Amino acid sequence: MTFHRTALASAIVAACAAFGNWNAAQAQIVPGAPAIPAIPAAPVLPAEAASGAAAENLAPAPTTYLAPSVAVLATGTSNANFGTGLSPRSDTVLEVVPRLVVVSDHAHWHLRGDFSLDGLYYARGTQTNRVLPIGSLNLRSELVDRFVYLNAGVQSQQNIVNPYVGQQTPGTSNQYTSTQYRINPYIDRLINPDLRFIASSDDIWTKINNNPTNAGVFGGRYSVQTVSLDQRPLPWGYTLVARQTDTTYTNLPFASLKDTSFRAIGNYALSDRLTLGLIGGYERVTAFLAEEKKPIYGVRGSWQPNALGNIDATVEHRYFGTGWNIQARGGSPLLRFSMNWTRGPSTYLSALAGGGVPGSNITTLLDGMLLSQYPDPVARAQAVQGLLTNSGLPAGLSTASNFYTSSATLQNALSITALLLRQRNSYAISLYRTKTEDLFLPGQSLLQLVQTFSSDNIQTGVAFNYGRRLTPIDNLNVTLLRANNSGFGFNAGLSSRQTSLVAQFDHQFSPRTTGLLGVRRQLLRSTLVGNSNESAVFAGVVHRF
């Protein structure tokens, strides 16, 4: 490991930590929020232009994509207290949003960042003026060639305190900021071309900021320790995995959960694209005043029918019953979809750590759609941002929320996202259903009495976006959302239903400046805060430097 490479990695990790001290946050895609146009891509040569003679004069592919911008938005709303339970009050809200997108790829380190500061000013004082850091910054680095690696990152998001107040626009009193700081050193070594060894220590610390009074929300630490040995099936193979997950909450010693497991998996490759396997193992789960030891058995499969599609599925019997993890991706160059269906134990902290970047499901589909056309990640990031701008698409559509609870939960979550691009039209849809229930080990009756919140609820929703490119410089974008939350068990009788409609028109004044104008309508029916509605108009301008 060379000195300059170590110094460079250390400097970037320090930058991640410094950025984390700003309380940087990655915002949820919430209904009613104006969609700020994406950063346009740099010009890309068409494929036919790269003739043999011209190739000699082409500059090398860029290693860094840097896109700073600033947006100024003004919103006139009939009810700035929408979803808070307070009396309706009209107000004018001014937003100033400086933003920086960075993608940097080098031989031994890769940096991804998208962060901004969302400054909110309420002319009539209906809500507290504030500046919300929003974003994520992630580093992947190779410290020793093909042996020792390091991941580090900072990611935050806005969270709703209570699931029965609807999904609100940013800046209301029922929200708080959670920020995760992540350090993940690991060893990944090929012992021979078919035998792979991995040892990983992944630690995530969560800090809670802007916490409403008496909300009872706490941060903590979530860690995952993994050691695995994987023999590629030729056609027979195996995987040995030892794993330990540990969740601990700040100032809540009774809310810990530790799961230690070992699995032996026998795999058989029926073809180059289809692999099946049998799973056997054992796990020990410990929590406050309780312990559970159970065998693990199940099946797994992996199928890649073509270059754009794959299905990975695991079904196991574990201490809580039957669990599964099924993921599917597929489509064509103009159509892309993804499906995730899981059932298993979770905690508030582990869900934050494993949820990925919130509000980026459309961006993720676009990235997969353009993978074959733009194999270079920097060029692909430029193309994705340019396509978001040209089509008027938002970066993401609304999905299920992660609501705070200090107990472990059993979660059954299904989400489907699809995107279709035509010459002038785009269609995007997101559907989800998540059932979350409190999970207690035998003997944890005391924890049931002292827990802060119960998470027994079902979230269902659908979000649809239609984009129309009216002219080369004009876009029309319409988003419709329907979100339902309903409680059961301890939360029986609690519910909320929200419908939101947003229509937005974008006009490109120059290659670097875009104006936007739109209207918004929201309806909320809640058993907790009562019924409310809101109508709003907004206008703004975005300038890229």
Side-chain angles (χ1 to χ4, degrees):
M1 174 173 61
T2 62
F3 173 81
H4 76 274
R5 187 182 306 160
T6 306
L8 179 60
S10 300
I12 296 175
V13 173
C16 289
F19 177 73
N21 290 334
W22 303 346
N23 298 326
Q26 172 65 46
Q28 284 180 249
I29 298 299
V30 294
I36 298 177
I39 306 301
V44 179
L45 283 175
E48 59 269 17
S51 65
E56 299 178 359
N57 299 322
L58 290 177
T63 58
T64 300
Y65 173 50
L66 197 64
S69 67
V70 62
V72 179
L73 301 170
T75 302
T77 172
S78 66
N79 185 6
N81 290 328
F82 177 80
T84 65
L86 301 175
S87 300
R89 286 187 60 190
S90 61
D91 206 339
T92 300
V93 185
L94 178 65
E95 284 187 77
V96 180
V97 188
R99 177 187 177 196
L100 179 66
V101 177
V102 58
V103 178
S104 189
D105 268 71
H106 299 267
H108 298 286
W109 60 271
H110 313 275
L111 187 66
R112 300 287 185 274
D114 185 351
F115 43 90
S116 61
L117 298 173
D118 189 359
L120 293 158
Y121 172 76
Y122 293 82
R124 299 185 60 188
T126 52
Q127 297 288 331
T128 303
N129 300 330
R130 64 187 69 186
V131 177
L132 299 176
I134 301 169
S136 64
L137 183 66
N138 295 285
L139 163 76
R140 294 185 297 110
S141 62
E142 182 181 34
L143 303 183
V144 180
D145 291 342
R146 292 175 291 180
F147 187 34
V148 181
Y149 302 82
L150 174 67
N151 294 336
V154 177
Q155 178 176 294
S156 297
Q157 57 187 291
Q158 301 302 309
N159 302 268
I160 300 172
V161 175
N162 196 294
Y164 307 108
V165 297
Q167 300 186 38
Q168 305 158 63
T169 53
T172 66
S173 58
N174 283 326
Q175 293 180 324
Y176 63 93
T177 301
S178 62
T179 303
Q180 294 83 53
Y181 309 88
R182 185 172 201 159
I183 295 291
N184 175 211
Y186 64 99
I187 294 171
D188 189 344
R189 185 70 170 179
L190 283 176
I191 299 176
N192 61 50
D194 301 314
L195 185 62
R196 183 182 185 186
F197 172 78
I198 296 176
S200 171
S201 177
D202 196 358
D203 291 278
I204 303 99
W205 293 267
T206 299
K207 182 179 180 181
I208 303 300
N209 299 311
N210 303 322
N211 193 358
T213 304
N214 299 322
V217 180
F218 294 91
R221 178 184 176 186
Y222 174 68
S223 64
V224 183
Q225 317 300 323
T226 307
V227 177
S228 68
L229 186 66
D230 183 71
Q231 171 67 51
R232 187 162 65 96
L234 297 169
W236 293 98
Y238 63 86
T239 302
L240 304 177
V241 182
R243 189 170 186 258
Q244 183 179 87
T245 65
D246 192 3
T247 299
T248 55
Y249 290 86
T250 304
N251 299 326
L252 294 175
F254 58 83
S256 62
L257 179 70
K258 180 183 289 187
D259 188 340
T260 305
S261 63
F262 174 78
R263 289 172 173 82
I265 307 170
N267 298 312
Y268 181 75
L270 280 74
S271 69
D272 292 340
R273 296 182 179 274
L274 178 60
T275 301
L276 300 177
L278 294 176
I279 304 170
Y282 197 78
E283 68 182 328
R284 175 176 177 262
V285 183
T286 59
F288 180 66
L289 299 179
E291 179 179 276
E292 189 84 346
K293 298 179 181 179
K294 291 289 184 178
I296 300 172
Y297 53 89
V299 295
R300 65 180 297 188
S302 178
W303 180 42
Q304 185 176 7
N306 52 58
L308 295 177
N310 67 281
I311 300 174
D312 293 297
T314 300
V315 180
E316 294 179 325
H317 180 81
R318 298 177 58 188
Y319 72 95
F320 58 86
T322 302
W324 56 79
N325 186 344
I326 303 172
Q327 300 184 16
R329 307 284 187 275
S332 67
L334 295 179
L335 172 65
R336 192 76 174 169
F337 74 89
S338 67
M339 186 274 286
N340 296 276
W341 189 16
T342 62
R343 183 178 189 268
S346 181
T347 64
Y348 168 76
L349 296 180
S350 66
L352 283 177
V357 179
S360 63
N361 48 0
I362 299 300
T363 302
T364 302
L365 288 183
L366 284 175
D367 187 83
M369 188 178 290
L370 298 178
L371 180 61
S372 60
Q373 188 177 356
Y374 298 91
D376 178 75
V378 175
R380 188 166 66 255
Q382 294 176 335
V384 168
Q385 293 294 333
L387 195 52
L388 286 172
T389 299
N390 294 334
S391 64
L393 279 167
L397 293 176
S398 182
T399 58
S401 299
N402 179 29
F403 298 113
Y404 178 82
T405 178
S406 57
S407 70
T409 61
L410 179 60
Q411 192 170 83
N412 188 335
L414 172 66
S415 65
I416 301 173
T417 307
L419 172 63
L420 173 64
L421 296 180
R422 309 296 294 176
Q423 184 174 3
R424 298 183 64 178
N425 299 324
S426 64
Y427 308 87
I429 189 169
S430 174
L431 304 99
Y432 62 87
R433 183 187 187 276
T434 298
K435 180 180 180 180
T436 306
E437 54 188 306
D438 298 325
L439 177 62
F440 298 103
L441 301 183
Q444 282 193 297
S445 57
L446 176 62
L447 180 57
Q448 292 177 268
L449 298 176
V450 300
Q451 67 168 337
T452 307
F453 294 118
S454 170
S455 52
D456 291 345
N457 74 86
I458 299 174
Q459 300 180 63
T460 59
V462 57
F464 174 76
N465 176 271
Y466 168 72
R468 171 72 175 178
R469 193 172 187 184
L470 304 174
T471 73
I473 60 173
D474 296 316
N475 288 315
L476 177 64
N477 198 270
V478 179
T479 300
L480 177 64
L481 169 85
R482 175 73 174 191
N484 298 328
N485 289 340
S486 59
F488 63 92
F490 185 80
N491 295 323
L494 295 174
S495 66
S496 68
R497 300 189 305 275
Q498 181 175 348
T499 304
S500 299
L501 176 65
V502 182
Q504 179 174 315
F505 172 77
D506 299 339
H507 175 77
Q508 190 172 357
F509 292 107
S510 72
R512 295 181 178 271
T513 305
T514 300
L516 58 96
L517 181 67
V519 296
R520 176 176 72 216
R521 177 66 175 171
Q522 299 191 91
L523 303 172
L524 175 66
R525 300 291 179 264
S526 169
T527 58
L528 186 69
V529 296
N531 301 335
S532 61
N533 60 76
E534 185 227 24
S535 299
V537 295
F538 56 87
V541 63
V542 183
H543 181 74
R544 296 104 181 169
F545 299 97

